[in-house]
Amino acid sequence: MPVDGPVPWERAEHTGAKHDIYRRYLKRWFPILLGGARNAYPSATYAEGFAGPGVYAGGEPGSPIIAMQTLLQTVSSESPVVRFLFVDDDPRCIRSLNEQFVAAFPTRPRAHDTTPVVIVDGTCTDQLEPQLDKIGAWGQPILAVLDSWGNVPISYQLLKRLAGNPATEVIVTLGPQSFIRFVSTLGPAADDVFGGAATWRQIEHMTDGAAKRQHVLTCYRQTLATAGFTFLLDFELIDRRGESLYLVFGTNHVRGLEKMKDALWEVDPVYGVGFRDPRDEQSEALFNFTDPHLAPLSRLLLREIQRGPAQGARVHDLRQFALHQTAFRPEHVIRALTPLRDQGSIQADTPGAIRIKTMVRAAAER
Ligand SMILES: C[S@@+](CC[C@H](N)C(=O)[O-])C[C@H]1O[C@@H](n2cnc3c(N)ncnc32)[C@H](O)[C@@H]1O
């Protein structure tokens, strides 16, 4: 979307699928953190650094409205304090977002002191951290949705501070094309996206487009890991025209990782957007969600088994690999291993069905 283009703009296919993921994740996030369970927190903050106008040209809601709707649908009105913070550097978006909140929630559903909504005009770099200070967000969980146009103008210092805050998670939109196209002209601000490291610039010497995209993603994953996020999940959304966009999720809780993956695999195929595991060498889409295409996972597992110790790997550990290192769920692993065993690429230590305790190893080269 051009910076000077109209506000609001048409909702892209990616965006519909992305919103579905946000909605499904928030449906889990709010109750887990605030739902009155023993470990629930007294407050939480949902913050966006690139909030947008709150609506699309076709009337579809923007992510800030979706977040508020999901809160209202999932936790009772007596739930603890939930702060909403929205930053955008386009005054037209700020004006529209204020109007959309009034239009979507004409009778304020929750009082300001239990659910403050703060909308701020300014850049994410200048405003998000000081505003989080101002609303007293630190020390309690924060979900930061950092949905830029893909160029990720987010300060590394903010990422570090978020990673060190309790039960805090980030969802970052990364569009590798903006880095690939302008690598030779982008100045030090582009290195700042990667925590000051210039390793991403190696794409200048690469010829293969997929390898360049993979490298930018790997560098960004490294940035989030160095900032302090233990668990990362990234996946590629591809629309019908083949345009791709990465969502990178960082958390310090394995449960957050599991829930995000559940949200991903539930996304409605009607958006016409497919998912790819960026690590799959053949870039095969995982289009059919009820009957997932597991061939990419089979390939990833085979590579993992071949790289591992000669005695093989336990299925239990491969399930952990799938959870932490791929876009797939642990439940997919046995289904992805079975064809590998049937075609003779791997051997199992027990006959019959593959189980969690089974050891599998690469078949000897013939
Ligand atoms: C992809 S749109 C956000 C869409 C919104 N999150 C949604 O899903 O409905 C990106 C937004 O970031 C804003 N923006 C671009 N650069 C920014 C910056 N450096 N700081 C804050 N906002 C910025 C744009 O005005 C635009 O509204």
Side-chain angles (χ1 to χ4, degrees):
M1 186 61 45
V3 173
D4 300 330
V7 172
W9 52 86
E10 292 290 335
R11 191 179 75 168
E13 286 177 337
H14 284 144
T15 310
K18 189 170 69 182
H19 286 168
D20 206 10
I21 296 171
Y22 291 169
R23 193 181 285 110
R24 289 172 194 276
Y25 187 66
L26 283 169
K27 257 190 201 159
R28 295 165 161 94
W29 190 78
F30 284 126
I32 288 174
L33 292 171
L34 304 166
R38 202 161 47 88
N39 295 328
Y41 286 87
S43 76
T45 299
Y46 174 87
E48 292 207 32
F50 307 85
V55 70
Y56 286 81
E60 304 91 342
S63 51
I65 303 294
I66 290 171
M68 178 62 85
Q69 285 170 338
T70 313
L71 172 78
L72 299 176
Q73 288 159 5
T74 49
V75 291
S76 77
S77 54
E78 290 88 50
S79 81
V81 172
V82 188
R83 304 173 202 86
F84 285 86
L85 169 60
F86 300 107
V87 172
D88 198 287
D89 73 348
D90 184 335
R92 296 171 302 166
C93 290
I94 293 298
R95 211 174 311 119
S96 168
L97 185 54
N98 276 297
E99 289 164 7
Q100 290 304 316
F101 263 100
V102 174
F105 311 104
T107 50
R108 200 188 164 91
R110 288 167 158 241
H112 177 77
D113 42 339
T114 59
T115 311
V117 178
V118 177
I119 300 178
V120 180
D121 182 354
T123 66
C124 176
T125 309
D126 290 347
Q127 289 295 340
L128 200 67
E129 191 175 356
Q131 293 294 334
L132 286 168
D133 291 340
K134 205 165 157 188
I135 61 175
W138 301 105
Q140 298 289 307
I142 300 172
L143 177 60
V145 173
L146 303 171
D147 180 29
S148 69
W149 294 127
N151 53 336
V152 207
I154 302 163
S155 88
Y156 181 66
Q157 182 198 319
L158 172 67
L159 290 177
K160 264 174 65 174
R161 199 166 167 202
L162 288 168
N165 195 55
T168 289
E169 303 181 331
V170 288
I171 306 177
V172 182
T173 306
L174 173 69
Q177 278 316 332
S178 48
F179 294 96
I180 294 170
R181 208 168 298 147
F182 303 114
V183 56
S184 54
T185 51
L186 287 171
D191 299 339
D192 292 346
V193 169
F194 300 91
T199 336
W200 71 276
R201 292 184 185 275
Q202 287 168 3
I203 54 174
E204 229 173 337
H205 311 294
M206 297 178 177
T207 48
D208 179 51
K212 289 182 188 188
R213 288 198 298 277
Q214 175 73 54
H215 184 68
V216 172
L217 176 64
T218 302
C219 291
Y220 199 69
R221 275 179 70 99
Q222 188 55 49
T223 306
L224 286 184
T226 314
F229 289 102
T230 317
F231 303 115
L232 301 173
L233 170 62
D234 54 78
F235 39 90
E236 189 178 359
L237 304 174
I238 351 140
D239 66 15
R240 273 180 267 247
R241 292 171 308 161
E243 295 275 323
S244 65
L245 186 75
Y246 295 118
L247 288 192
V248 192
F249 172 68
T251 178
N252 284 315
H253 293 267
V254 73
R255 196 166 176 205
L257 186 66
E258 288 163 354
K259 297 292 164 201
M260 180 52 92
K261 208 164 266 196
D262 291 347
L264 163 69
W265 282 96
E266 268 178 27
V267 165
D268 203 322
V270 298
Y271 295 103
V273 172
F275 292 88
R276 273 199 301 235
D277 190 309
R279 285 150 293 269
D280 176 33
E281 283 152 4
Q282 294 186 27
S283 298
E284 186 176 338
L286 325 172
F287 268 103
N288 188 341
F289 296 94
T290 47
D291 181 18
H293 293 181
L294 297 179
L297 178 60
S298 298
R299 287 190 284 275
L300 293 167
L301 288 168
L302 182 59
R303 204 171 63 191
E304 182 65 10
I305 296 164
Q306 286 167 338
R307 280 179 184 163
Q311 74 268 25
R314 200 164 290 287
V315 172
H316 170 270
D317 298 330
L318 293 172
R319 285 167 55 97
Q320 292 301 304
F321 163 78
L323 174 65
H324 294 290
Q325 307 289 337
T326 78
F328 292 87
R329 301 168 76 181
E331 293 77 5
H332 294 141
V333 166
I334 290 178
R335 284 166 59 198
L337 287 173
T338 304
L340 290 178
R341 198 253 334 256
D342 295 349
Q343 79 205 22
S345 306
I346 60 168
Q347 291 166 348
D349 68 347
T350 48
I354 297 176
R355 301 185 190 285
I356 290 183
K357 287 186 178 164
T358 304
M359 288 286 287
V360 290
R361 61 186 166 81
E365 298 272 341
R366 273 174 279 180

